[in-house]
Amino acid sequence: TNIANPNSTPMTAKFVESMFSGADRHKHHKSNHHMSSGIGMMHSRCAARACGTDISLCQKGSLVVFQAVVDTNSGPLPTVDRHSMEDDGVQISNFPLGLRFCCIDDSEVALRILNHGLQHHAGAGEVQIFGRNGADDVPGFMSCAQEADIIICDNHLDFPGGYTSGLELLR
């Protein structure tokens, strides 16, 4: 959960779907950051599906809520036929194999799910996770992030002894 930018128009379901699907993305969102390709949320959806996870994003008043849900009651996580099409036309086989992931989170559960899901279901080449040792892991994460293909970062890192902004780490 993050605080919405008060200078931005509130997110709509159509806006969110355009970010996840890429359809009409140019009508709804243009990143003003020079490093953004504008496809991060599309890749997030592909990665989540490959890991057997449902993701959602919505705005509730002044809060923006991103949620990832894994159904732990349905047995082992599903495997994905990387050469088949998903119901909505997202082709998982387009998600490249062998990527290097660098992840930081203050939740042991999130770290375990990321590590397992990316290694066993998304064809990751390397997954490095940080945060188990609190703020002491930040230097290692910063070093790893420079070489990673994909960085997964919790924005609100509530480490013992203080709060660290994931966004500020990436800046």
Side-chain angles (χ1 to χ4, degrees):
T1 303
N2 294 312
I3 303 296
N5 182 340
N7 298 322
S8 295
T9 304
M11 291 189 323
T12 63
K14 192 172 184 178
F15 169 82
V16 171
E17 183 53 33
S18 75
M19 287 194 303
F20 282 139
S21 70
D24 297 324
R25 183 179 66 241
H26 64 283
K27 293 180 183 177
H28 302 287
H29 179 71
K30 292 182 181 178
S31 175
N32 57 3
H33 192 278
H34 66 281
M35 295 296 289
S36 176
S37 62
I39 60 172
M41 294 304 284
M42 290 171 43
H43 282 174
S44 294
R45 178 186 259 179
C46 288
R49 288 193 174 151
C51 298
T53 303
D54 291 320
I55 61 173
S56 64
L57 180 69
C58 67
Q59 184 169 344
K60 297 178 182 178
S62 65
L63 297 178
V64 175
V65 180
F66 178 85
Q67 187 172 21
V69 178
V70 178
D71 183 2
T72 59
N73 295 322
S74 64
L77 292 172
T79 57
V80 176
D81 177 358
R82 295 180 50 83
H83 302 289
S84 69
M85 296 290 286
E86 292 288 329
D87 292 343
D88 65 358
V90 174
Q91 193 169 8
I92 297 295
S93 63
N94 286 342
F95 197 78
L97 294 172
L99 294 175
R100 294 169 299 182
F101 290 82
C102 181
C103 312
I104 189 166
D105 204 300
D106 55 1
S107 164
E108 175 67 24
V109 171
L111 290 172
R112 289 176 59 205
I113 290 171
L114 280 169
N115 191 35
H116 178 82
L118 292 170
Q119 286 187 4
H120 293 97
H121 302 286
E126 178 182 356
V127 178
Q128 292 190 37
I129 57 173
F130 299 89
R132 289 185 170 137
N133 299 309
D136 291 343
D137 278 2
V138 170
F141 169 76
M142 297 302 292
S143 177
C144 170
Q146 293 180 20
E147 302 298 323
D149 295 305
I150 296 180
I151 299 168
I152 300 176
C153 180
D154 182 353
N155 189 40
H156 292 282
L157 297 166
D158 294 319
F159 292 136
Y163 162 79
T164 302
S165 166
L167 183 58
E168 289 303 315
L169 290 179
L170 295 177
R171 286 187 180 149

